[in-house]
Amino acid sequence: MRLGTRHLWLAMATAPIVGFFALPILYLLAVSFKTKDDVLSGHFWPTVPTFANWPGAFEAADIDGFIFNSVAVSVFAGLLTIALTLPSSYAVLRLKIGGKWLADVALSSYMAPPIVALIPLFFLLKATGLLNTRAGLILVYGFANVPVAFWLLTPFLRRMPIEIEHAAAMDGAGPFRTLLQIVAPVIAPGIVATLIIVTVLSYNEFLFASAFTFSDATRTLPVGISLFQDDRLVNFGQMAAASLAGISPVYLIALFMQRYLVSGLAHGGVK
Amino acid sequence: MTVFAADALRLDETRLATRRSTLPARLSRALWIAPIMLALSVTTLYPTIFLLALAFSKSTLGRPFRGFVGMKHFAITLQDPLFLSAIGRSVAYALSTSLLQLALGFVIALLFSSLLKAGRFLMSLVLLPLMTPPVMVGVAWKLILAPAGGLLNGTLIKYGVISEPISFLGHPSLAWLAIAVADLWQWTPFIVILCFAALSTIPEGVHEAALVDGANAWQRFRHITLPLVAAPLSSIYLLKLILSFKLFDLVYILTFGGPGFATTSAGFSIYRRAIEQFDVGRAAAETIVYGLVIGLATLPVVRLHQHFERREA
């Protein structure tokens, strides 16, 4: 009986929290099925749902092109980040190359706001002919997320038992083979979590993308959506549909990879 | 300053192994850390040097480095009331919203951790706001807050709280509140996940021992839970503070810095100076000033974290 009331209290406290976090997404969903007049009604759900906004959004702007750019840029950038960070973080943490100062510099550079790199990277991309290209964005994200990836991989590398490397050394494996064939499989959950997080960070990024791309062929989805809403004749139903279309790849990843994500974030955050 | 801060975020230390080695061995060791050195050079070292050079020169986005101007840009920046108030707003916003989100996130984590299995399910649900692109977060909240047909105005009118729709984003303090609510929606889940992890490191036995000693729930919380999570909480606050100083996307989508300059954050102000007015020399000086202010503003939190760490050790 006591347990019952306790659970009732907990449920009553939890419900508004869950409601608050679900609200904006549910409202986007509701608006995406509203007609232009219905949008002005102020009701939550559409009175008569319309399905015109979804195809309409894809006709009004190059949404599928933007999504393609976002996915391509973020996936390649994520892989680049892992390729750069895995050997170096292994070397710093397990082979004791570079030492404490390198770990400190990597973390401090994460603390600087990205606005610091905005202007210098603009000129660097311009000088190398990579301004307004997907390759330029891939390189920027791939490099810029290295400190975060370092920070996320650190606890996984640190907790790995030293015996694993000793055994590899006994078998005569060099450090690079040890990393690829023995260490990487052991810390695979950490690598997967890190890869997902840095990929999503690139997918969601707006500041660099808005300054470094200026044609529909290279724009990523957040930039595309931001232009959508600048439009004077903005159609809220279409904007909601376009936004949800852009969010869905990330939510699919969150749905299937949540186990990795929660552990990756939780381990990285606090000791 | 930032190195101290890095200390606070770091998990534990690695020591520099001093070894005598041959040149090829040294080279192959250097090769291991070459990728991270390259990344840090491109994204941190080069921007810092480049910004300093820009700040002291007459530069536009089209043609940088057209002559040395000395401290001129810094003098203008430090006398510009618009930019100084943008910095003030950014600092006040970061310090206050991070604290609020830390408190809220911690309470929700406490609640979730007492829900056991259901709590874990809820954790994966609250992951969604964190994963949502900030631009879309802005769009969703803009639709909720819209004066014509927005959910909030519709609901308030329906229940007779107001008779005329309110332009939430057209009013200076309400516009800040709107940005803060959207920010809270997006980032509190991250804090919940980190606090949940910090709470789960407390050994079961500690609470049982206190129960045996007859401590009530508040006493157990105040004298056991809180001291044990003080150090992680201070590093979570520091992390959120750093994220808050990056505030840009929500301002861009929700208010574009307005009404007037009311919600122009330092980052947004610098962006407009560089990308819209092409005055990169002055924008560079502003960036450097803002960077120093962030360092100063986070220093007390770093010190607090070090204090908790020492007490724990």
Side-chain angles (χ1 to χ4, degrees):
Chain A
M1 195 61 208
R2 260 205 72 173
L3 197 73
T5 40
R6 188 179 122 87
H7 270 100
L8 192 66
W9 276 111
L10 287 174
M12 276 170 67
T14 313
I17 297 169
V18 173
F20 173 74
F21 285 115
L23 177 84
I25 298 304
L26 290 179
Y27 192 60
L28 267 187
L29 195 65
V31 172
S32 78
F33 292 108
K34 283 181 180 176
T35 60
K36 262 194 161 171
D37 295 333
D38 210 4
V39 161
L40 300 175
S41 72
H43 300 308
F44 194 105
W45 298 108
T47 24
V48 183
T50 170
F51 295 92
N53 291 325
W54 286 79
F58 282 80
E59 274 161 36
D62 188 13
I63 303 297
D64 37 343
F66 296 148
I67 294 181
F68 174 81
N69 287 341
S70 278
V71 171
V73 165
S74 56
V75 167
F76 282 112
L79 292 172
L80 176 62
T81 301
I82 297 293
L84 290 168
T85 316
L86 187 60
S88 292
S89 55
Y90 176 67
V92 171
L93 294 164
R94 306 298 294 212
L95 307 177
K96 309 293 178 203
I97 300 173
K100 184 178 178 301
W101 66 270
L102 191 56
D104 284 347
V105 172
L107 287 173
S108 329
S109 77
Y110 172 65
M111 301 188 58
I115 194 89
V116 169
L118 183 79
I119 306 165
L121 289 180
F122 182 91
F123 283 107
L124 185 64
L125 290 174
K126 203 170 130 189
T128 49
L130 290 168
L131 200 59
N132 197 27
T133 64
R134 284 178 290 229
L137 270 191
I138 291 172
L139 289 174
V140 166
Y141 293 156
F143 283 158
N145 285 330
V146 163
V148 192
F150 187 91
W151 180 65
L152 289 168
L153 279 174
T154 295
F156 290 95
L157 278 165
R158 197 158 271 154
R159 268 178 307 156
M160 194 182 63
I162 190 81
E163 288 76 16
I164 292 174
E165 285 154 286
H166 284 329
M170 296 265 265
D171 290 344
F176 197 68
R177 233 186 83 199
T178 308
L179 171 63
L180 283 187
Q181 295 183 349
I182 292 148
V183 175
V186 172
I187 62 161
I191 298 176
V192 172
T194 307
L195 177 64
I196 297 168
I197 292 164
V198 294
T199 304
V200 170
L201 281 176
S202 302
Y203 186 90
N204 292 355
E205 206 277 341
F206 177 63
L207 175 67
F208 290 156
S210 76
F212 301 159
T213 60
F214 29 81
S215 67
D216 273 3
T218 53
R219 278 184 183 127
T220 59
L221 193 76
V223 183
I225 298 282
S226 78
L227 294 173
F228 214 99
Q229 70 126 32
D230 282 345
D231 201 342
R232 280 275 155 223
L233 299 161
V234 57
N235 179 328
F236 284 125
Q238 289 185 357
M239 197 160 92
S243 299
L244 279 173
I247 295 171
S248 49
V250 203
Y251 280 12
L252 282 178
I253 291 177
L255 194 67
F256 290 110
M257 299 288 183
Q258 40 140 314
R259 194 166 54 93
Y260 292 111
L261 277 171
V262 173
S263 79
L265 290 167
H267 286 139
V270 273
K271 82 176 204 182
Chain B
M1 241 167 324
T2 43
V3 174
F4 285 130
D7 246 6
L9 283 176
R10 199 160 30 77
L11 308 164
D12 64 88
E13 65 259 54
T14 44
R15 284 190 204 301
L16 184 69
T18 40
R19 289 178 200 167
R20 273 173 221 198
S21 48
T22 56
L23 188 64
R26 274 162 169 260
L27 272 178
S28 89
R29 286 169 67 82
L31 212 56
W32 276 96
I33 53 168
I36 198 168
M37 299 294 276
L38 175 71
L40 291 174
S41 307
V42 173
T43 58
T44 307
L45 182 65
Y46 153 75
T48 309
I49 296 168
F50 197 90
L51 268 187
L52 278 169
L54 277 179
F56 289 104
S57 65
K58 188 172 157 62
S59 292
T60 63
L61 202 57
R63 298 176 59 190
F65 307 119
R66 286 187 300 157
F68 181 73
V69 296
M71 297 297 286
K72 189 183 133 209
H73 290 141
F74 288 98
I76 296 173
T77 299
L78 293 176
Q79 286 163 12
D80 175 6
L82 275 181
F83 184 70
L84 293 183
S85 57
I87 284 200
R89 280 192 290 267
S90 290
V91 172
Y93 175 85
L95 291 173
S96 58
T97 57
S98 301
L99 194 61
L100 178 71
Q101 291 182 26
L102 180 68
L104 194 65
F106 184 59
V107 170
I108 296 176
L110 278 173
L111 183 68
F112 282 9
S113 63
S114 62
L115 287 172
L116 304 170
K117 241 197 147 93
R120 285 184 197 285
F121 167 74
L122 290 171
M123 281 294 258
S124 45
L125 196 71
V126 297
L127 199 62
L128 296 182
L130 180 60
M131 305 275 288
T132 313
V135 168
M136 281 66 145
V137 175
V139 168
W141 283 98
K142 206 170 183 178
L143 291 175
I144 292 174
L145 299 170
L151 179 64
L152 186 56
N153 271 310
T155 310
L156 290 177
I157 290 174
K158 191 173 153 195
Y159 291 101
V161 183
I162 53 172
S163 53
E164 288 289 303
I166 301 172
S167 172
F168 293 103
L169 299 174
H171 183 282
S173 34
L174 289 180
W176 266 123
L177 194 63
I179 294 170
V181 169
D183 189 320
L184 183 143
W185 183 82
Q186 173 144 54
W187 287 106
T188 306
F190 185 47
I191 296 182
V192 172
I193 291 171
L194 297 182
C195 287
F196 194 87
L199 285 170
S200 63
T201 58
I202 301 174
E204 275 299 313
V206 181
H207 278 286
E208 280 160 23
L211 266 174
V212 171
D213 288 346
N216 66 30
W218 168 250
Q219 285 170 329
R220 289 198 307 270
F221 174 75
R222 171 70 190 80
H223 296 288
I224 297 167
T225 310
L226 214 50
L228 280 175
V229 294
L233 282 190
S234 61
S235 73
I236 296 169
Y237 183 59
L238 182 62
L239 187 61
K240 183 61 198 42
L241 213 50
I242 294 163
L243 290 165
S244 294
F245 279 119
K246 299 179 181 181
L247 177 72
F248 175 80
D249 309 16
L250 287 176
V251 171
Y252 188 102
I253 299 297
L254 282 172
T255 66
F256 210 75
F261 290 93
T263 58
T264 298
S265 66
F268 189 69
S269 170
I270 295 167
Y271 174 86
R272 292 193 76 177
R273 178 98 59 219
I275 303 295
E276 285 177 8
Q277 301 168 13
F278 310 128
D279 192 351
V280 293
R282 205 169 139 192
E286 290 176 342
T287 311
I288 291 164
V289 170
Y290 186 43
L292 291 174
V293 169
I294 293 177
L296 277 176
T298 46
L299 194 61
V301 185
V302 175
R303 288 268 180 269
L304 185 72
H305 177 84
Q306 288 169 337
H307 167 76
F308 286 138
E309 291 263 276
R310 267 197 305 275
R311 209 181 56 185
E312 222 170 64

